[in-house]
Amino acid sequence: MKGWENIESRQPDVTRFLVNSHAKNRLVHAYIFEGILGVGKLAVAKNVAKMLLCDGEEPICGVCRHCQLVKSEGHVNVHMIRPDGLSIKKEQIQQLQVEFSKRAAEDLPKIYIIEESDKMSVSAANSLLKFLEEPMPNTYAILLTDNKQKLLPTIRSRSVILSFKSLSPKELIANFEAAGIKAHAPIVATLTQNLNEALELAQ
């Protein structure tokens, strides 16, 4: 499938589910992507945003301005939230709510992607919960986490949870080598599948 070439082979079930849901206009307003670091959660989240915004002939053309802006994280309708220091703070979620209360550019869908969503503070998680309980029209949330159990049960219950499979040893070694772990990649791959841990072990 165009736009999914580098992901489909690694995460076929997740890819097929999301592509079919989009084709049938059945994408829901909130998803949780669960899986270890490096399995493609962020790449898939960006592809969902591309599917929703692309104005090409394919579900993801990859060349229109929307696809290019999503790729570079410069699209005004796609908001990325990452931990500020050690956590995601309530103010970050509140700012997101302010942004989403504004009229969308060209009346297009709005998407927010929260990386390491399990690092939300309690107050941030509660603010997000209110957002999920009363979703705005044409708005989509994608929460990325390595452990869904760290999220509030009420957030989990209001989201569709998609589990990403771990990488094969060959894929894992290739990822580690691409991240700069050369000589020790095969050994490190037997100890962890987490890229951050792998980088620490390789030092």
Side-chain angles (χ1 to χ4, degrees), residues 3-179:
W4 294 90
E5 295 89 348
N6 296 327
I7 302 172
E8 187 177 8
S9 61
R10 290 188 292 159
Q11 301 295 340
D13 295 338
V14 168
T15 297
R16 194 177 305 113
F17 177 82
L18 290 169
V19 170
N20 288 341
S21 295
H22 176 259
K24 297 176 182 178
N25 292 317
R26 291 181 180 174
L27 287 175
V28 300
H29 76 280
Y31 289 94
I32 293 172
F33 290 177
E34 180 192 34
I36 62 171
L37 187 67
V39 294
K41 300 189 299 293
L42 180 58
V44 172
K46 287 185 176 181
N47 265 17
V48 171
K50 289 177 185 177
M51 283 198 303
L52 288 164
L53 295 166
C54 180
D55 59 8
E57 295 182 1
E58 301 283 343
I60 299 178
C61 74
V63 296
C64 72
R65 65 187 181 90
H66 294 298
C67 285
Q68 290 298 310
L69 286 169
V70 171
K71 181 180 179 180
S72 65
E73 299 187 5
H75 202 293
V76 295
N77 281 31
V78 181
H79 294 257
M80 307 292 301
I81 296 180
R82 298 181 171 97
D84 179 7
L86 297 177
S87 66
I88 294 172
K89 299 174 173 57
K90 179 181 179 180
E91 291 75 18
Q92 291 176 268
I93 303 300
Q94 289 176 327
Q95 182 58 38
L96 175 71
Q97 293 170 326
V98 170
E99 290 297 322
F100 273 52
S101 67
K102 301 174 183 176
R103 183 174 179 178
E106 304 176 40
D107 291 325
L108 293 169
K110 289 185 176 183
I111 305 100
Y112 58 98
I113 300 169
I114 304 180
E115 293 190 63
E116 299 182 79
S117 59
D118 49 273
K119 291 186 177 179
M120 284 187 289
S121 66
V122 173
S123 56
N126 285 327
S127 292
L128 178 66
L129 179 59
K130 294 177 182 178
F131 209 24
L132 294 177
E133 287 175 335
E134 300 177 3
M136 297 179 182
N138 217 15
T139 296
Y140 301 86
I142 304 176
L143 283 61
L144 314 184
T145 180
D146 63 359
N147 186 351
K148 65 185 178 185
Q149 298 302 327
K150 294 179 182 178
L151 295 171
L152 290 178
T154 42
I155 288 179
R156 298 199 305 267
S157 68
R158 286 166 174 77
S159 309
V160 170
I161 300 173
L162 298 180
S163 296
F164 284 57
K165 69 182 184 69
S166 298
L167 302 180
S168 69
K170 183 178 179 180
E171 291 170 326
L172 201 57
I173 291 170
N175 274 10
F176 288 171
E177 288 178 341

